[in-house]
Amino acid sequence: MFSNSSIFKKQVVAFTGLLLIFFIFTHLGGNLFIYAGPGVFNSYAHKLHSVGPLLLLPRTLLFIIFVIHITFTCLVVIENIKARGGHKRYSMQKSVGNRSMAESIMPYSGLYIFVFVIFHIIDFAFANQHGVRSFLHGRSYGLYGIVFNSFKDPVYDLLYIFFICFLGLHLCHGVQSLVQTSGFRPKWASVIKMISDYFALLMILGFSSIPIYVYILSRP
Amino acid sequence: MSKKINLTLKVWRQKNCKTPGAFETYQAREIDTAMSFLEMLDFVNEMLTHEGRDPITFDHDCREGICGSCGAVVNGQPHGPLRGTTLCQLHMRHFKDGQTLVVEPWRAKAFPINKDLSVERSSFDRVMVAGGFISVKTGQAPEAHAIPVPKEAADNAMDAAQCIGCGACVAACPNGSAMLFVGSKVSHLNLLAQGAPEKKTRVLHMVHQMDHEGFGNCSNSYECEAACPKQISVSHIAFMNKEYRQASIP
Amino acid sequence: MTLDSKIPSGLLQDKWTSHKFNNKLVNPSNRRKYKIIVVGTGLAGASSAASLAEMGYQVESFCFQDSARRAHSIAAQGGINAAKNYPNDGDSVRRLFYDTIKGGDFRSREANVYRLAEVSNNIIDQCVAQGVPFAREYSGYLDNRSFGGAQVSRTFYARGQTGQQLLLGAYQALMKEVAKNNVFLHPRTEMLDLVVIDGIARGIVVRNLLSGKIESYSADAVVLATGGYGNVFYLSTNAKGCNVTATWRAHKKGAFFANPCYTQIHPTCIPLHGNYQSKLTLMSESLRNDGRVWVPKKIKDTRLPNEIPLQERDYFLERKYPAFGNLVPRDIASRNAKEQCDTHHGVGDTGMAVYLDLKESIAQLGKQVIKDRYGNLLDMYAKITGEDPYQTPMMIYPAAHYTMGGLWVDYNLMSNLPGLFVIGEANFSDHGANRLGASALMQGLADGYFVLPYTMANYLAGVKPAGEEIIHRSEFKDAEIQVSDKIKRLLSVKGKTTVDEFHRELGHLLWNKCGMARNEKGLKEALNKIPEIRERFWKDVCVLGSNDDFNQALERAGRVADFLEFSELLCFDALHRQESCGGHFREEFQTPEGEALRRDDLFSYVAAWQFNSLGQSPTLHKEELKFEETHLAQRNYK
């Protein structure tokens, strides 16, 4: 009776969101190995792959979490559209004052992230580790090479950073929102809002630094 | 000191929930700035009546900001531009001479339009019926001092209990959600020792009814808090979320 | 016919207890067979509907608002009295009783008032248990404050919204019974007639305000909890929807109307500022605890308040009533404010206001304390007037606020028509000629929670359940036709003057001739003028639209039509009562100091009026008031 309730759905979105945040955080940690050079970076990638079938479990879990996050969000969004009562609700739509840009574009930033993540997985995770794209100066550098080759392209970099900014926006509302939705310590609201903003900024800076670094490095 | 201003009003006119509505434009001349918004509407209605045109229907009663009857979206903002103020307490000195005001009813699936600016808010009553009470019968009550309530809890409960049930939160919410209304009632009753025995069923049943009525989900935009004439904090929504989480885990 | 108040015999303090014991009871298994209609969902209506439903009766609850939670009890600000004596300052049931009798200028029934004081403590218990968030001290125990006219701190409060919180408590209790299907709610439904069959109240005729549909409901008892008639003055602190229709139409069906001339004018309201004004806003008189009322000594002084030095200010209440100062009862405070304005000491644009100054309290206690106590009131004042009350003194003026008069009821709260009960402000019973601050909430809840449920059982135990068939009696059809005809008449006039214009004209007339001070000449003028306005109303009123629709002008037209009839009775009663007491001040009857002069030898009775026909004088029935426990004294607040 209650498992289908609005709050339950939102708490599911919040909880899966939290897990995804953990993933993003570790993902960034892994990515930052790039600064240590191809050896360390590739051995990190290699170690990850060497667990073999064991990696399948976290990957499947991650996939399920991702799907749940999206499915429940879709359910919530559909209900919200219905509840609003009409597509163009007020002839003069105006924020009363509290709504942030990050909040108002949540479903869109989410959609954009979804599309990009698929592309990203195909682009990096499923790429042939020793294929043409991994070649630097005539020899394969594995995943490092693929990353390096991709980020050499300024257009690719801009698209990537653009995506990261969306991810940041998604996170800066998402983090504080998940705290509110799970009903954690209402009194800390302003602190949590601050943490949320800084966390998002950190993620943006962390992820964006890599293409910039590679781009600068690749310049003759 | 008050002065006179002229306004152009674009008012939503709709016969009932079955027929479509449309805006009509009226010129409101010589409006005294000491008038309240509803007095301005009265004034326009008198003018319309003298012209043989149907006056604008709008809910109102106490006109001192406490009964929760009145409300309309003025220029995209529920209860108009002044924070913490109901429409009946919004005075015309906050508008400029020559300004155009777009006046619309609350819009949400759970608030069908009765006529013009009047909407049906019985969904709120049904949410209350679902559990917005403490089941004490007349005569059962113990001596008032039998259960002391810490001042902080009593004050928090009072903050939440101030809700006047006007529905501005729903009107302002981009998702037509009633979480602030329901959250403040859950907060009010669950914070008090007297409400503790029923706290789990209360939150579960009220949320269930809220969903059933077709209110949307909270996306934490906090527009409700900004539109609330009693400035009830969204922390009461967080509190309800917590109560709900704790109640739904057996 | 003689009026039997059915006051039980015995000692005053034992009357209610022994009456409860002597009352007949209805077997729990039989209660479901009885249906009770409760009209109105304010404190009295909601609390009684909930309590009766809890006992097992079937209850149908009606209100004209869109939700039961919006009744005007919600607007009461200050607090609710009870004789708990938590502050240990000498309060007791007896003292609350005495204060209420004295405050009512010895024009109320001792037995009723004693009962009110007796059950006052149960109300607080009940409300706390319902989750009413009364103000508390750091200990976790309830806080009390002193309130207009009382020398003890016996008022419980929830910030400045006590009425709201108590009403929500009662509303929630009602919702609890709705959930159990013991109460059936009829919001946006206005009672337009009482159906009386063989002299017994058997049901009501209502109009659905959204669809215009006229319907009848039958019951074994009808409870009117429809509030007061303060809106007869057009401008009052009542909600716009408050009206006399339910009680007036019951009166026309035979119920006696008692003491309509007892109208209370509240001293601390925000002054009038223009012709378009739709209502007056009350500022809780708790402000008088910390505010000092003054006017400039100089006539027509146009200086700003802060420019007037202390020695040129007249703190007239403190000067005239040193013992009570700014806390004198409402009627005295109001009349003194009027007197100051009449003698051109008034302030503001219109000269119809006096200052209420918080400056000294702010200096003494700090702004924060004042803000904690009155924050929302002061915000409201600032919103309405655009002035900051923390900086400049507030301006206040009296406004019609509460009506002590109402339908006559006996000790059981039943009118002279068997089966018709009247509770809360709608009846006349407990406040005499003047109501003390924080007593209205007390009376409404006392009637609803703790009196009516007992007396109702006593009545129902003596009658057989009416059953569903009674609705087919011709009296219902006749009443429906009458109601429909009246609506058709209103719509068919198609005149040139709006309903509000008539209401304003009537209100203006009554405020001037039958307001704070009345005299024979003025009342006779009003009595001549009212039928003339009424005649014009039925020839020239403009009500657009149709009946089968949501038509607010039509609703108002019906109510104003009733005010136009009722106001005549109001003036008639005021003319007949040749004395001054409480809210009724006749200029011919005052002491040399200008105080109300009661004439106990001639007027120590309740004037219950019987309706004859329009244009014909009503018949007076007297219920003599006997004072056995209290000594009839001229009120003296000096």
mmCIF file of all heavy atoms in Angstrom, chain B residues 39 46 50 58-59 61-64 84 93 125 138 143-145 159 165 185 188, chain C residues 51 54 67 84 86 125 131 159 171-172 188 240-241 278-279 383-384 498 552:
data_model
loop_
_atom_site.group_PDB
_atom_site.id
_atom_site.type_symbol
_atom_site.label_atom_id
_atom_site.label_comp_id
_atom_site.label_asym_id
_atom_site.label_seq_id
_atom_site.Cartn_x
_atom_site.Cartn_y
_atom_site.Cartn_z
ATOM 1 N N GLU B 39 -10.214 44.277 -1.493
ATOM 2 C CA GLU B 39 -11.068 45.469 -1.560
ATOM 3 C C GLU B 39 -11.032 46.052 -2.968
ATOM 4 O O GLU B 39 -12.036 46.557 -3.471
ATOM 5 C CB GLU B 39 -10.636 46.503 -0.514
ATOM 6 C CG GLU B 39 -11.134 46.140 0.865
ATOM 7 C CD GLU B 39 -10.473 46.894 2.015
ATOM 8 O OE1 GLU B 39 -9.472 47.620 1.775
ATOM 9 O OE2 GLU B 39 -10.936 46.753 3.146
ATOM 10 N N GLU B 46 -18.095 45.949 -7.953
ATOM 11 C CA GLU B 46 -19.170 46.944 -7.882
ATOM 12 C C GLU B 46 -19.330 47.606 -9.245
ATOM 13 O O GLU B 46 -20.430 47.800 -9.747
ATOM 14 C CB GLU B 46 -18.851 48.003 -6.821
ATOM 15 C CG GLU B 46 -18.894 47.501 -5.402
ATOM 16 C CD GLU B 46 -20.293 47.457 -4.806
ATOM 17 O OE1 GLU B 46 -20.878 48.513 -4.522
ATOM 18 O OE2 GLU B 46 -20.812 46.335 -4.652
ATOM 19 N N HIS B 50 -22.607 47.355 -11.723
ATOM 20 C CA HIS B 50 -23.311 48.521 -12.253
ATOM 21 C C HIS B 50 -23.384 48.500 -13.779
ATOM 22 O O HIS B 50 -24.313 49.035 -14.367
ATOM 23 C CB HIS B 50 -22.651 49.817 -11.763
ATOM 24 C CG HIS B 50 -23.051 50.178 -10.364
ATOM 25 N ND1 HIS B 50 -24.354 50.458 -10.016
ATOM 26 C CD2 HIS B 50 -22.336 50.270 -9.216
ATOM 27 C CE1 HIS B 50 -24.415 50.715 -8.719
ATOM 28 N NE2 HIS B 50 -23.207 50.602 -8.206
ATOM 29 N N PHE B 58 -14.513 35.135 -6.156
ATOM 30 C CA PHE B 58 -13.256 34.770 -5.476
ATOM 31 C C PHE B 58 -13.580 34.419 -4.025
ATOM 32 O O PHE B 58 -14.441 35.031 -3.407
ATOM 33 C CB PHE B 58 -12.228 35.907 -5.546
ATOM 34 C CG PHE B 58 -12.657 37.209 -4.917
ATOM 35 C CD1 PHE B 58 -12.299 37.515 -3.621
ATOM 36 C CD2 PHE B 58 -13.424 38.128 -5.625
ATOM 37 C CE1 PHE B 58 -12.691 38.716 -3.032
ATOM 38 C CE2 PHE B 58 -13.824 39.326 -5.047
ATOM 39 C CZ PHE B 58 -13.460 39.621 -3.746
ATOM 40 N N ASP B 59 -12.897 33.415 -3.492
ATOM 41 C CA ASP B 59 -13.130 33.014 -2.107
ATOM 42 C C ASP B 59 -12.459 33.994 -1.165
ATOM 43 O O ASP B 59 -11.344 34.461 -1.422
ATOM 44 C CB ASP B 59 -12.561 31.607 -1.862
ATOM 45 C CG ASP B 59 -13.498 30.528 -2.351
ATOM 46 O OD1 ASP B 59 -14.709 30.706 -2.183
ATOM 47 O OD2 ASP B 59 -13.018 29.530 -2.923
ATOM 48 N N ASP B 61 -12.934 35.362 3.295
ATOM 49 C CA ASP B 61 -13.818 35.422 4.455
ATOM 50 C C ASP B 61 -13.289 36.369 5.520
ATOM 51 O O ASP B 61 -13.765 37.483 5.631
ATOM 52 C CB ASP B 61 -14.078 34.018 5.020
ATOM 53 C CG ASP B 61 -15.357 33.960 5.843
ATOM 54 O OD1 ASP B 61 -16.202 34.853 5.667
ATOM 55 O OD2 ASP B 61 -15.531 33.040 6.652
ATOM 56 N N CYS B 62 -12.251 35.962 6.240
ATOM 57 C CA CYS B 62 -11.874 36.759 7.411
ATOM 58 C C CYS B 62 -11.231 38.087 7.034
ATOM 59 O O CYS B 62 -11.356 39.066 7.730
ATOM 60 C CB CYS B 62 -10.936 35.968 8.310
ATOM 61 S SG CYS B 62 -9.231 35.921 7.739
ATOM 62 N N ARG B 63 -10.520 38.094 5.942
ATOM 63 C CA ARG B 63 -9.794 39.276 5.459
ATOM 64 C C ARG B 63 -8.784 39.788 6.478
ATOM 65 O O ARG B 63 -8.497 40.974 6.547
ATOM 66 C CB ARG B 63 -10.765 40.386 5.071
ATOM 67 C CG ARG B 63 -11.670 39.923 3.942
ATOM 68 C CD ARG B 63 -12.035 41.034 3.034
ATOM 69 N NE ARG B 63 -12.789 40.533 1.898
ATOM 70 C CZ ARG B 63 -13.212 41.279 0.906
ATOM 71 N NH1 ARG B 63 -12.941 42.563 0.898
ATOM 72 N NH2 ARG B 63 -13.870 40.754 -0.089
ATOM 73 N N GLU B 64 -8.308 38.902 7.320
ATOM 74 C CA GLU B 64 -7.195 39.310 8.160
ATOM 75 C C GLU B 64 -6.097 38.249 8.141
ATOM 76 O O GLU B 64 -5.303 38.135 9.058
ATOM 77 C CB GLU B 64 -7.636 39.653 9.582
ATOM 78 C CG GLU B 64 -8.630 38.718 10.222
ATOM 79 C CD GLU B 64 -9.231 39.304 11.505
ATOM 80 O OE1 GLU B 64 -10.250 40.015 11.433
ATOM 81 O OE2 GLU B 64 -8.657 39.044 12.560
ATOM 82 N N GLY B 84 5.170 36.400 2.845
ATOM 83 C CA GLY B 84 4.514 36.221 4.140
ATOM 84 C C GLY B 84 3.197 36.953 4.252
ATOM 85 O O GLY B 84 2.832 37.410 5.337
ATOM 86 N N ARG B 93 -0.700 49.656 -2.088
ATOM 87 C CA ARG B 93 0.480 50.532 -2.110
ATOM 88 C C ARG B 93 1.715 49.809 -2.640
ATOM 89 O O ARG B 93 2.714 50.437 -2.935
ATOM 90 C CB ARG B 93 0.737 51.117 -0.716
ATOM 91 C CG ARG B 93 1.207 50.144 0.323
ATOM 92 C CD ARG B 93 1.481 50.843 1.651
ATOM 93 N NE ARG B 93 0.257 51.066 2.394
ATOM 94 C CZ ARG B 93 -0.247 50.207 3.287
ATOM 95 N NH1 ARG B 93 0.394 49.090 3.566
ATOM 96 N NH2 ARG B 93 -1.374 50.465 3.927
ATOM 97 N N ASP B 125 -8.936 18.712 2.981
ATOM 98 C CA ASP B 125 -9.747 18.150 4.074
ATOM 99 C C ASP B 125 -9.620 16.631 4.113
ATOM 100 O O ASP B 125 -9.533 16.035 5.174
ATOM 101 C CB ASP B 125 -11.221 18.530 3.894
ATOM 102 C CG ASP B 125 -11.494 19.973 4.311
ATOM 103 O OD1 ASP B 125 -10.802 20.453 5.213
ATOM 104 O OD2 ASP B 125 -12.383 20.603 3.720
ATOM 105 N N THR B 138 -13.657 13.483 23.579
ATOM 106 C CA THR B 138 -14.013 14.461 24.599
ATOM 107 C C THR B 138 -14.171 13.749 25.937
ATOM 108 O O THR B 138 -14.892 12.746 26.020
ATOM 109 C CB THR B 138 -15.324 15.152 24.221
ATOM 110 O OG1 THR B 138 -15.171 15.685 22.912
ATOM 111 C CG2 THR B 138 -15.674 16.264 25.194
ATOM 112 N N GLU B 143 -5.268 15.636 32.948
ATOM 113 C CA GLU B 143 -4.947 17.003 33.383
ATOM 114 C C GLU B 143 -3.841 17.571 32.478
ATOM 115 O O GLU B 143 -2.887 16.873 32.122
ATOM 116 C CB GLU B 143 -4.544 16.934 34.859
ATOM 117 C CG GLU B 143 -3.559 17.962 35.372
ATOM 118 C CD GLU B 143 -4.042 19.393 35.297
ATOM 119 O OE1 GLU B 143 -5.215 19.664 35.559
ATOM 120 O OE2 GLU B 143 -3.205 20.256 34.959
ATOM 121 N N ALA B 144 -4.021 18.842 32.089
ATOM 122 C CA ALA B 144 -3.160 19.436 31.082
ATOM 123 C C ALA B 144 -1.676 19.376 31.424
ATOM 124 O O ALA B 144 -0.825 19.286 30.549
ATOM 125 C CB ALA B 144 -3.583 20.884 30.840
ATOM 126 N N HIS B 145 -1.367 19.420 32.726
ATOM 127 C CA HIS B 145 0.042 19.399 33.124
ATOM 128 C C HIS B 145 0.584 17.985 33.346
ATOM 129 O O HIS B 145 1.727 17.819 33.751
ATOM 130 C CB HIS B 145 0.252 20.252 34.378
ATOM 131 C CG HIS B 145 0.495 21.689 34.022
ATOM 132 N ND1 HIS B 145 0.666 22.662 34.965
ATOM 133 C CD2 HIS B 145 0.605 22.295 32.825
ATOM 134 C CE1 HIS B 145 0.865 23.819 34.361
ATOM 135 N NE2 HIS B 145 0.824 23.629 33.066
ATOM 136 N N ASP B 159 5.121 26.539 15.203
ATOM 137 C CA ASP B 159 5.593 27.048 13.901
ATOM 138 C C ASP B 159 4.880 26.313 12.767
ATOM 139 O O ASP B 159 4.452 26.921 11.794
ATOM 140 C CB ASP B 159 7.105 26.818 13.748
ATOM 141 C CG ASP B 159 7.928 27.780 14.589
ATOM 142 O OD1 ASP B 159 7.371 28.819 14.988
ATOM 143 O OD2 ASP B 159 9.111 27.487 14.848
ATOM 144 N N GLY B 165 -3.874 26.541 5.567
ATOM 145 C CA GLY B 165 -4.536 25.681 4.573
ATOM 146 C C GLY B 165 -5.031 26.412 3.354
ATOM 147 O O GLY B 165 -6.061 26.061 2.785
ATOM 148 N N LYS B 185 1.475 19.655 9.037
ATOM 149 C CA LYS B 185 0.531 19.004 9.958
ATOM 150 C C LYS B 185 1.179 17.802 10.639
ATOM 151 O O LYS B 185 1.028 17.604 11.848
ATOM 152 C CB LYS B 185 -0.751 18.601 9.203
ATOM 153 C CG LYS B 185 -1.879 18.094 10.058
ATOM 154 C CD LYS B 185 -2.150 18.931 11.299
ATOM 155 C CE LYS B 185 -2.711 20.320 10.998
ATOM 156 N NZ LYS B 185 -2.830 21.133 12.251
ATOM 157 N N HIS B 188 3.496 19.262 13.227
ATOM 158 C CA HIS B 188 2.763 19.796 14.381
ATOM 159 C C HIS B 188 2.370 18.668 15.333
ATOM 160 O O HIS B 188 2.662 18.726 16.524
ATOM 161 C CB HIS B 188 1.535 20.568 13.867
ATOM 162 C CG HIS B 188 0.449 20.795 14.878
ATOM 163 N ND1 HIS B 188 -0.867 20.906 14.545
ATOM 164 C CD2 HIS B 188 0.496 20.920 16.227
ATOM 165 C CE1 HIS B 188 -1.582 21.098 15.644
ATOM 166 N NE2 HIS B 188 -0.785 21.103 16.675
ATOM 167 N N SER C 51 -17.997 15.805 19.427
ATOM 168 C CA SER C 51 -18.329 15.127 20.687
ATOM 169 C C SER C 51 -19.572 14.258 20.547
ATOM 170 O O SER C 51 -19.621 13.139 21.061
ATOM 171 C CB SER C 51 -18.561 16.160 21.801
ATOM 172 O OG SER C 51 -17.434 16.978 21.937
ATOM 173 N N GLU C 54 -18.734 11.184 18.644
ATOM 174 C CA GLU C 54 -17.983 10.239 19.485
ATOM 175 C C GLU C 54 -18.918 9.418 20.359
ATOM 176 O O GLU C 54 -18.682 8.238 20.618
ATOM 177 C CB GLU C 54 -17.016 10.998 20.409
ATOM 178 C CG GLU C 54 -15.773 11.502 19.722
ATOM 179 C CD GLU C 54 -15.061 12.563 20.554
ATOM 180 O OE1 GLU C 54 -15.436 12.767 21.718
ATOM 181 O OE2 GLU C 54 -14.133 13.195 20.011
ATOM 182 N N SER C 67 -14.392 24.917 3.707
ATOM 183 C CA SER C 67 -13.887 23.879 4.594
ATOM 184 C C SER C 67 -14.304 24.216 6.013
ATOM 185 O O SER C 67 -14.423 25.396 6.377
ATOM 186 C CB SER C 67 -12.366 23.805 4.514
ATOM 187 O OG SER C 67 -11.866 23.091 5.626
ATOM 188 N N LYS C 84 -7.628 27.467 36.055
ATOM 189 C CA LYS C 84 -6.640 26.481 36.510
ATOM 190 C C LYS C 84 -5.836 26.970 37.696
ATOM 191 O O LYS C 84 -5.316 26.184 38.469
ATOM 192 C CB LYS C 84 -5.690 26.161 35.349
ATOM 193 C CG LYS C 84 -6.289 25.266 34.273
ATOM 194 C CD LYS C 84 -6.245 23.816 34.696
ATOM 195 C CE LYS C 84 -6.520 22.897 33.512
ATOM 196 N NZ LYS C 84 -6.653 21.495 33.951
ATOM 197 N N TYR C 86 -2.884 28.001 37.673
ATOM 198 C CA TYR C 86 -1.472 27.570 37.596
ATOM 199 C C TYR C 86 -0.510 28.633 38.128
ATOM 200 O O TYR C 86 0.478 28.297 38.765
ATOM 201 C CB TYR C 86 -1.103 27.211 36.153
ATOM 202 C CG TYR C 86 -1.698 25.911 35.624
ATOM 203 C CD1 TYR C 86 -1.965 25.761 34.275
ATOM 204 C CD2 TYR C 86 -1.956 24.837 36.477
ATOM 205 C CE1 TYR C 86 -2.484 24.580 33.769
ATOM 206 C CE2 TYR C 86 -2.483 23.650 35.976
ATOM 207 C CZ TYR C 86 -2.743 23.526 34.625
ATOM 208 O OH TYR C 86 -3.251 22.355 34.124
ATOM 209 N N ASP C 125 -7.572 20.941 29.345
ATOM 210 C CA ASP C 125 -7.101 19.553 29.297
ATOM 211 C C ASP C 125 -7.372 18.950 27.920
ATOM 212 O O ASP C 125 -6.505 18.339 27.300
ATOM 213 C CB ASP C 125 -7.815 18.700 30.355
ATOM 214 C CG ASP C 125 -7.551 19.196 31.773
ATOM 215 O OD1 ASP C 125 -6.587 19.962 31.950
ATOM 216 O OD2 ASP C 125 -8.309 18.825 32.686
ATOM 217 N N GLY C 131 -3.520 18.324 21.003
ATOM 218 C CA GLY C 131 -2.318 18.821 20.332
ATOM 219 C C GLY C 131 -2.343 20.309 20.057
ATOM 220 O O GLY C 131 -1.624 20.784 19.185
ATOM 221 N N ARG C 159 0.616 31.869 20.872
ATOM 222 C CA ARG C 159 1.056 33.127 20.231
ATOM 223 C C ARG C 159 -0.143 34.048 20.079
ATOM 224 O O ARG C 159 -0.948 34.163 20.990
ATOM 225 C CB ARG C 159 1.741 32.849 18.892
ATOM 226 C CG ARG C 159 3.035 32.102 19.124
ATOM 227 C CD ARG C 159 4.044 32.201 18.013
ATOM 228 N NE ARG C 159 5.066 31.191 18.307
ATOM 229 C CZ ARG C 159 5.605 30.377 17.422
ATOM 230 N NH1 ARG C 159 5.284 30.470 16.157
ATOM 231 N NH2 ARG C 159 6.502 29.502 17.782
ATOM 232 N N TYR C 171 -11.540 21.175 14.756
ATOM 233 C CA TYR C 171 -11.689 20.725 13.368
ATOM 234 C C TYR C 171 -11.065 19.342 13.192
ATOM 235 O O TYR C 171 -11.634 18.452 12.555
ATOM 236 C CB TYR C 171 -11.032 21.753 12.450
ATOM 237 C CG TYR C 171 -10.644 21.285 11.066
ATOM 238 C CD1 TYR C 171 -11.595 21.124 10.067
ATOM 239 C CD2 TYR C 171 -9.308 21.033 10.747
ATOM 240 C CE1 TYR C 171 -11.224 20.724 8.796
ATOM 241 C CE2 TYR C 171 -8.930 20.632 9.480
ATOM 242 C CZ TYR C 171 -9.887 20.470 8.502
ATOM 243 O OH TYR C 171 -9.527 20.069 7.248
ATOM 244 N N GLN C 172 -9.909 19.161 13.805
ATOM 245 C CA GLN C 172 -9.252 17.856 13.704
ATOM 246 C C GLN C 172 -10.056 16.773 14.424
ATOM 247 O O GLN C 172 -10.159 15.647 13.929
ATOM 248 C CB GLN C 172 -7.826 17.950 14.262
ATOM 249 C CG GLN C 172 -6.910 18.685 13.290
ATOM 250 C CD GLN C 172 -5.605 19.177 13.899
ATOM 251 O OE1 GLN C 172 -4.984 20.062 13.352
ATOM 252 N NE2 GLN C 172 -5.201 18.622 15.014
ATOM 253 N N ARG C 188 -19.674 24.454 1.955
ATOM 254 C CA ARG C 188 -20.304 25.329 0.958
ATOM 255 C C ARG C 188 -21.806 25.075 0.883
ATOM 256 O O ARG C 188 -22.399 24.968 -0.192
ATOM 257 C CB ARG C 188 -19.686 25.122 -0.429
ATOM 258 C CG ARG C 188 -18.248 25.647 -0.544
ATOM 259 C CD ARG C 188 -17.904 25.890 -1.992
ATOM 260 N NE ARG C 188 -16.471 25.970 -2.240
ATOM 261 C CZ ARG C 188 -15.797 27.115 -2.302
ATOM 262 N NH1 ARG C 188 -16.403 28.267 -2.136
ATOM 263 N NH2 ARG C 188 -14.503 27.099 -2.565
ATOM 264 N N LYS C 240 -16.228 38.364 6.463
ATOM 265 C CA LYS C 240 -17.220 38.881 5.511
ATOM 266 C C LYS C 240 -18.455 37.985 5.436
ATOM 267 O O LYS C 240 -19.547 38.446 5.171
ATOM 268 C CB LYS C 240 -16.598 39.009 4.112
ATOM 269 C CG LYS C 240 -15.559 40.101 3.993
ATOM 270 C CD LYS C 240 -16.137 41.481 4.166
ATOM 271 C CE LYS C 240 -16.923 41.927 2.931
ATOM 272 N NZ LYS C 240 -17.569 43.233 3.188
ATOM 273 N N GLY C 241 -18.249 36.709 5.650
ATOM 274 C CA GLY C 241 -19.372 35.792 5.488
ATOM 275 C C GLY C 241 -20.293 35.694 6.692
ATOM 276 O O GLY C 241 -21.387 35.152 6.587
ATOM 277 N N SER C 278 -13.699 47.187 3.574
ATOM 278 C CA SER C 278 -14.619 46.064 3.638
ATOM 279 C C SER C 278 -14.751 45.499 5.035
ATOM 280 O O SER C 278 -15.716 44.822 5.345
ATOM 281 C CB SER C 278 -14.162 44.956 2.704
ATOM 282 O OG SER C 278 -12.889 44.511 3.082
ATOM 283 N N LYS C 279 -13.757 45.735 5.868
ATOM 284 C CA LYS C 279 -13.857 45.210 7.234
ATOM 285 C C LYS C 279 -12.879 45.947 8.120
ATOM 286 O O LYS C 279 -11.986 46.635 7.637
ATOM 287 C CB LYS C 279 -13.584 43.716 7.264
ATOM 288 C CG LYS C 279 -12.138 43.343 7.218
ATOM 289 C CD LYS C 279 -11.921 41.946 7.763
ATOM 290 C CE LYS C 279 -11.831 41.946 9.261
ATOM 291 N NZ LYS C 279 -12.105 40.684 9.888
ATOM 292 N N LYS C 383 1.520 45.767 8.061
ATOM 293 C CA LYS C 383 1.090 45.421 6.709
ATOM 294 C C LYS C 383 -0.099 46.268 6.273
ATOM 295 O O LYS C 383 -0.177 46.741 5.147
ATOM 296 C CB LYS C 383 0.671 43.955 6.681
ATOM 297 C CG LYS C 383 1.616 43.096 5.904
ATOM 298 C CD LYS C 383 1.228 41.648 6.077
ATOM 299 C CE LYS C 383 2.482 40.820 6.206
ATOM 300 N NZ LYS C 383 2.198 39.478 6.668
ATOM 301 N N ILE C 384 -1.040 46.447 7.182
ATOM 302 C CA ILE C 384 -2.273 47.134 6.818
ATOM 303 C C ILE C 384 -2.052 48.642 6.727
ATOM 304 O O ILE C 384 -2.509 49.290 5.797
ATOM 305 C CB ILE C 384 -3.391 46.796 7.824
ATOM 306 C CG1 ILE C 384 -3.746 45.318 7.686
ATOM 307 C CG2 ILE C 384 -4.628 47.656 7.598
ATOM 308 C CD1 ILE C 384 -4.688 44.805 8.730
ATOM 309 N N THR C 498 -26.270 48.004 -5.733
ATOM 310 C CA THR C 498 -25.679 46.710 -5.402
ATOM 311 C C THR C 498 -25.991 46.327 -3.950
ATOM 312 O O THR C 498 -26.341 47.177 -3.132
ATOM 313 C CB THR C 498 -24.146 46.707 -5.577
ATOM 314 O OG1 THR C 498 -23.591 47.620 -4.636
ATOM 315 C CG2 THR C 498 -23.753 47.109 -6.979
ATOM 316 N N GLN C 552 -22.026 34.543 -5.707
ATOM 317 C CA GLN C 552 -21.719 35.151 -4.409
ATOM 318 C C GLN C 552 -22.590 36.368 -4.112
ATOM 319 O O GLN C 552 -22.893 36.652 -2.950
ATOM 320 C CB GLN C 552 -20.233 35.508 -4.346
ATOM 321 C CG GLN C 552 -19.353 34.262 -4.303
ATOM 322 C CD GLN C 552 -17.877 34.594 -4.305
ATOM 323 O OE1 GLN C 552 -17.433 35.470 -5.052
ATOM 324 N NE2 GLN C 552 -17.107 33.909 -3.492
#
